[in-house]
Amino acid sequence: MAKSYIEHKGYGFWMDDSFLEGVLYLLVKEFKAHPLESEWKTGLIEHWTFSYSAGFLGCVPVNLDRYFQDEDKVMFIVSILRSIVQKINTDDRYLTIEELNRNIVGGKGHTFLGINKSGFLRTAHMMIYLFEGKIKTQADSPLSYLQFKPKD
């Protein structure tokens, strides 16, 4: 499985593309549920929709530094990520194979056959920790954090 590097303010982590693309899809879904009162959200939705649906094999473009430079935006995405974690944990209909496949998550020709909730949760939690400054790894850091299991 291909991996992509997710970076913010000089730190980041590697994550399996399928989980990253799924979380990007969920972020877009949640962003669309909130009023799109600003241009940056519209641009971000377009960018992440392309990112989760183009079928990249590694190097899925996330561009966190481009969109999340100020604290208000960081607080907004952290709240959205926390909401996603809560919904994955409590609502079996929130993240489904049918929805991911219908929305071409992973690109044309990619088909989800199952839902590994722990992988999606790990990706969302690690993004939260990255935004909160709790992740201090870089691209060349050992990948031992891939075994991280969040406490739900």
Side-chain angles (χ1 to χ4, degrees), residues 17-134:
D17 286 349
S18 292
F19 299 132
L20 174 59
E21 290 161 337
V23 169
L24 291 178
Y25 166 75
L26 293 173
L27 283 164
V28 166
K29 179 178 170 178
E30 294 297 326
F31 271 51
K32 285 180 176 180
H34 290 77
L36 299 175
E37 73 281 349
S38 60
E39 196 174 302
W40 77 270
K41 287 182 188 175
T42 304
L44 180 60
I45 286 170
E46 290 173 5
H47 175 66
W48 280 352
T49 299
F50 172 73
S51 297
Y52 76 67
S53 65
F56 289 95
L57 295 174
C59 300
V60 174
V62 181
N63 297 334
L64 297 179
D65 285 333
R66 178 176 167 194
Y67 292 100
F68 298 97
Q69 298 173 356
D70 64 60
E71 195 59 32
D72 287 342
K73 291 177 183 175
V74 168
M75 287 176 18
F76 178 74
I77 192 167
V78 167
S79 71
I80 296 292
L81 285 162
R82 288 188 191 288
S83 174
I84 288 170
V85 166
Q86 187 267 330
K87 289 176 182 179
I88 290 173
N89 278 324
T90 61
D91 184 354
D92 289 335
R93 296 166 298 175
Y94 181 69
L95 179 62
T96 67
I97 297 166
E98 296 78 21
E99 183 177 5
L100 293 173
N101 290 335
R102 183 176 59 251
N103 287 284
I104 315 170
V105 176
K108 291 182 181 178
H110 181 270
T111 303
F112 281 87
L113 302 174
I115 299 290
N116 178 342
K117 284 187 178 184
S118 65
F120 292 101
L121 288 168
R122 180 174 56 246
T123 304
H125 277 287
M126 290 184 72
M127 288 180 85
I128 291 168
Y129 297 156
L130 180 63
F131 281 117
E132 292 178 338
K134 295 176 181 174

